[in-house]
Amino acid sequence: MAGNQGKGKGFFRGLLSGNRSRPTLLRGDPHERGVTGSARRARQEQAAIHSQAQRSSTLEQVRSRFERQSSLHSHTVGSGDDDTDYDESLSREESLGQDESACHPVDWTIVRGHAVKFKSRGQGSSGTSDQAGVSQAEDAAPRGRRRSQSADTDWLITSAQPGGPVDTTLIPSYGGHVAKAIFEGSERTPPILECRARKKTLDSIIRLQDMSDELYRVLPGTPLGRLPYIMHQHIDSALITAFVERWQPDTNTFHMPWGEMTIMLHDVQRILGIGIDGSLPVQPSDNEWQLGLAGLFGMPLSELRAKGHFTSGSINVGALLQLCHRSQSMDTQRTAYYMAIVGSTLLVDKTRVGMRPHPVVTVTADEADIAWGAVTLAHMYRQLGMATRTGCKTIAGCLTLLQTWIYEYFPAFRPHPRQADMPNKTRAEMWSPPKPIRELSRLIDCRSILDAMTEAQVEWTPYLTYDRSLLNEHPRTSYIGGITCFDIVEVYLPERTVRQLGFAQEIPPAPLRPTQALRPAQGSYSVTFASSCMFTEMWSRFPYCARVVEQAQRRASVPSEAAPDYVDWFRVSSHCFLIPGEGPAAAFGAADNRVEYFAAEFPTRLAPLLRMPAIAQMTPRERDAADMYLEDLRELFSEWQECRGRSPL
């Protein structure tokens, strides 16, 4: 037994030190007893041939395991689909051991594009460098839970998919996406997501603020204090579901028929009125948030558990409201009140009455010092990513932010004309959504509208007139890198959606990839970035970091302008249409739909040209726009000729 243990330790040390040679067999190995000379050599050669792939897989598994341990030790961030128990996750991280994690340094290199490939059980690494990091599905899975090989690999695509993508490098996790199931004729059960919104809690917060003279005098004038008053009373769950089906977590963008769009930092500031400048909060240590809770409630964590205030890793929001009501300290009331607001508006999770304890360390500081807009956006990105999985039935996050964003950019879904822009009002306050219709027919209508929509039907810059610069008013929105929400890290990539900043869209660079990712159709969802500390450093050094530089961009002559090769690249790389039988993709494939598609598309592309002035009266910019509209018409006629089987014009 002792010999075998020594052998195992030496084997793992060899792997960690980069020694890829096969470890020599010990003389006492029971499998080699009685075998000598050429027979021994033949057996060793045969074993080496048969175990070559397994040794390579073991090498990558062990290295990834130690990278994960070191990353956890250095506050590397991950998150699960389910509302996991914080105590269990913390004890699991502690059990990994600091000695082992310390022996393998963390590589802080930001990985972009093809330098990293997803890897699953049974697959070899296709990355260009071991130090770049390999995203291994089995390493992101929770410990103690056995997963089948098919469960590890089904969410990763390796070949062209029906309806796209043809090139699998942009959205490799499409295999577990609900859009794939819908395109293949199946729906998730139920098809419409349950939208979590804390309506009753918000009503209690508003009543409490009205009852307290000091809170009423101080808090409503602050960005966080106003949030309970601007949250929408009704959330259109069918509309939210239709947009979730377009979200791709590999790029953190909505993939529409014409390209990518996303919720940006300036959207968060305009819609909710919270700041996007300030520091990014990092995940507090176990001791920090426990001491924060004990100091807030005036009792240790064990007593909080005994009284039911802290269960399953979450704080009961009702306990926070009671603390606001009975506490004699204004500082305690303010902290508890802010925590209740953050947990009920910005960082809503899938629990019905709880919230995570991490903000207790942050809300005690000046709220202007924290970039709450970036925190909210990181949490919303993660919730959208989890909701794209086929087995997910619920979506959380700040759904008022998502719903208002849809209204601002997509006039087809607006419940009423937008109210006039007022200096003291947020964009969320300008919309009063009616009571929604939670029916499958409503969801199907939303899907069909999005499939048939063109870029000309989008309001690309809803907050500003065309001649003003968004980057001048909201410079932070040009930041490129990672944004954090305590234990969550997500990438923010505005270079993929520069049309929302008033620029012409070019083919963007490959997105930043996580070190590890697990995005199956069913089960736990996990994304880990070993570069989380570097992202925080990049954020703090803005604008002296990666960002969208206005001088390097080409201002769009029309809001929807994109490079000539952009749409062709995008349709090869993504899944643009959701419903077979609708949209241009189906129109080209089904003879009965071709005439209907072109009859509807022709006036849509012709209308902007008809609104142009006479040629002699056109400015140079208007002439460029007219040329673009004519080019769109030529492309449409070329598509028609291709459908009829003739050569294009």
Side-chain angles (χ1 to χ4, degrees):
M1 181 64 69
N4 291 338
Q5 290 177 352
K7 173 187 171 183
K9 290 182 179 179
F11 175 64
F12 286 118
R13 289 196 189 101
L15 291 178
L16 290 175
S17 63
N19 183 9
R20 294 175 179 268
S21 62
R22 180 173 182 259
T24 58
L25 292 169
L26 299 179
R27 292 183 181 273
D29 195 319
H31 298 287
E32 296 297 317
R33 291 173 183 170
V35 182
T36 58
S38 60
R40 179 190 295 273
R41 288 192 296 272
R43 173 175 287 190
Q44 290 177 351
E45 291 173 358
Q46 184 178 8
I49 294 173
H50 287 292
S51 63
Q52 181 177 2
Q54 294 163 346
R55 291 199 309 274
S56 177
S57 177
T58 302
L59 170 66
E60 297 297 338
Q61 292 174 17
V62 174
R63 285 192 171 181
S64 180
R65 171 178 172 240
F66 278 84
E67 286 177 357
R68 177 162 60 92
Q69 293 170 359
S70 180
S71 300
L72 289 172
H73 181 59
S74 303
H75 303 291
T76 302
V77 180
S79 179
D81 188 3
D82 302 326
D83 296 305
T84 55
D85 192 320
Y86 263 66
D87 297 332
E88 293 179 1
S89 62
L90 289 169
S91 62
R92 186 167 59 248
E93 291 175 13
E94 292 173 356
S95 67
L96 293 177
Q98 297 182 358
D99 294 336
E100 290 182 335
S101 61
C103 70
H104 190 78
V106 179
D107 173 50
W108 299 112
T109 304
I110 296 180
V111 181
R112 183 181 281 279
H114 305 300
V116 131
K117 297 289 185 181
F118 286 87
K119 181 190 171 189
S120 295
R121 184 173 301 160
Q123 293 178 316
S125 172
S126 54
T128 59
S129 171
D130 290 335
Q131 293 181 347
V134 179
S135 178
Q136 298 190 26
E138 67 274 15
D139 284 343
R143 288 194 172 196
R145 183 183 301 176
R146 292 190 177 183
R147 298 176 52 83
S148 64
Q149 182 173 349
S150 61
D152 283 338
T153 58
D154 286 349
W155 63 280
L156 294 171
I157 56 173
T158 57
S159 59
Q161 302 294 305
V166 177
D167 182 354
T168 63
T169 59
L170 182 63
I171 50 174
S173 68
Y174 175 73
H177 203 289
V178 66
K180 182 176 185 294
I182 294 171
F183 195 84
E184 293 173 354
S186 61
E187 294 276 358
R188 71 167 118 206
T189 306
I192 300 178
L193 291 167
E194 178 186 353
C195 296
R196 289 288 168 85
R198 304 270 174 86
K199 298 178 183 178
K200 294 182 180 179
T201 304
L202 291 176
D203 292 339
S204 300
I205 291 174
I206 293 173
R207 286 197 302 269
L208 176 65
Q209 183 169 295
D210 293 340
M211 290 171 57
S212 173
D213 294 337
E214 294 187 17
L215 288 176
Y216 184 79
R217 186 169 55 252
V218 175
L219 296 180
T222 64
L224 290 183
R226 294 175 56 191
L227 289 175
Y229 297 90
I230 69 175
M231 295 293 110
H232 290 170
Q233 290 294 317
H234 302 293
I235 300 295
D236 191 342
S237 54
L239 179 63
I240 296 295
T241 302
F243 274 81
V244 167
E245 293 167 354
R246 304 277 174 170
W247 182 262
Q248 293 294 342
D250 294 293
T251 58
N252 278 345
T253 54
F254 296 100
H255 285 215
M256 302 297 184
W258 57 85
E260 297 177 70
M261 298 182 69
T262 195
I263 308 173
M264 304 182 73
L265 286 170
H266 69 273
D267 293 313
V268 182
Q269 187 168 29
R270 288 300 186 109
I271 291 172
L272 299 178
I274 57 179
I276 57 176
D277 290 303
S279 60
L280 287 177
V282 296
Q283 181 180 5
S285 66
D286 185 4
N287 188 54
E288 286 175 335
W289 65 260
Q290 288 188 13
L291 288 177
L293 280 185
L296 179 64
F297 284 92
M299 62 184 73
L301 194 63
S302 58
E303 190 173 347
L304 287 176
R305 286 196 181 97
K307 292 187 175 183
H309 297 336
F310 185 80
T311 57
S312 299
S314 297
I315 309 170
N316 189 290
V317 179
L320 290 172
L321 298 180
Q322 292 176 12
L323 185 63
C324 291
H325 185 67
R326 70 172 186 266
S327 176
Q328 301 299 320
S329 169
M330 185 59 194
D331 290 338
T332 300
Q333 287 190 27
R334 181 178 179 273
T335 301
Y337 185 81
Y338 272 160
M339 283 199 65
I341 289 177
V342 169
S344 302
T345 57
L346 304 181
L347 308 182
V348 179
D349 59 22
K350 294 183 180 181
T351 60
R352 296 185 180 275
V353 295
M355 66 169 293
R356 298 296 171 85
H358 292 160
V360 72
V361 182
T362 305
V363 296
T364 55
D366 185 359
E367 70 171 285
D369 294 338
I370 304 299
W372 285 108
V375 174
T376 303
L377 192 59
H379 187 261
M380 190 74 254
Y381 280 179
R382 181 58 57 89
Q383 294 297 323
L384 283 166
M386 293 191 296
T388 62
R389 303 300 96 183
T390 306
C392 185
K393 301 179 181 179
T394 307
I395 182 171
C398 186
L399 298 181
T400 294
L401 168 63
L402 176 56
Q403 184 165 261
T404 305
W405 182 85
I406 295 172
Y407 293 160
E408 292 289 342
Y409 284 88
F410 297 88
F413 297 110
R414 292 174 178 173
H416 53 76
R418 183 170 54 210
Q419 300 177 14
D421 195 356
M422 299 179 64
N424 297 326
K425 274 193 172 184
T426 63
R427 287 301 178 115
E429 296 175 88
M430 297 181 183
W431 303 100
S432 300
K435 189 174 182 179
I437 302 174
R438 186 181 167 87
E439 295 180 358
L440 181 59
S441 59
R442 164 70 172 162
L443 174 59
I444 293 176
D445 289 343
C446 292
R447 290 173 181 170
S448 301
I449 292 172
L450 288 173
D451 268 352
M453 191 177 289
T454 65
E455 60 270 29
Q457 297 171 279
V458 177
E459 188 170 348
W460 289 97
T461 54
Y463 314 115
L464 299 175
T465 59
Y466 185 72
D467 293 330
R468 295 168 65 189
S469 173
L470 269 169
L471 293 187
N472 289 339
E473 294 205 3
H474 306 283
R476 179 69 74 166
T477 199
S478 65
Y479 163 80
I480 300 174
I483 50 179
T484 66
C485 174
F486 303 103
D487 59 335
I488 293 172
V489 174
E490 289 288 346
V491 291
Y492 176 75
L493 306 172
E495 75 270 28
R496 310 192 69 83
T497 57
V498 295
R499 283 185 285 190
Q500 294 175 232
L501 300 175
F503 304 120
Q505 182 66 58
E506 304 288 340
I507 295 178
L512 301 174
R513 296 297 190 193
T515 309
Q516 297 172 355
L518 181 67
R519 297 184 176 117
Q522 307 280 344
S524 181
Y525 182 104
S526 178
V527 178
T528 302
F529 287 87
S531 304
S532 57
C533 293
M534 176 173 281
F535 288 151
T536 305
E537 180 69 17
M538 291 171 60
W539 177 271
S540 65
R541 292 189 178 185
F542 182 86
Y544 306 105
C545 64
R547 61 188 178 93
V548 175
V549 181
E550 184 172 6
Q551 291 76 11
Q553 300 293 323
R554 179 168 58 90
R555 184 160 292 279
S557 56
V558 292
S560 60
E561 182 180 357
D565 54 348
Y566 172 76
V567 174
D568 293 337
W569 163 83
F570 180 72
R571 292 190 174 178
V572 170
S573 303
S574 182
H575 185 85
C576 304
F577 303 99
L578 205 65
I579 305 176
E582 295 189 18
F588 296 154
D592 295 339
N593 293 334
R594 291 174 186 169
V595 176
E596 296 178 6
Y597 163 69
F598 287 107
E601 189 70 11
F602 181 77
T604 301
R605 300 196 187 188
L606 182 63
L609 192 62
L610 296 177
R611 291 195 294 265
M612 302 291 291
I615 296 178
Q617 300 174 354
M618 287 184 181
T619 64
R621 174 178 286 187
E622 288 173 336
R623 289 194 185 98
D624 292 340
D627 290 341
M628 179 172 293
Y629 293 139
L630 287 171
E631 184 62 30
D632 287 343
L633 286 174
R634 292 191 189 99
E635 290 179 0
L636 186 66
F637 281 118
S638 296
E639 293 169 356
W640 170 249
Q641 296 284 18
E642 290 175 359
C643 287
R644 295 183 60 188
R646 290 193 265 177
S647 60
L649 295 176

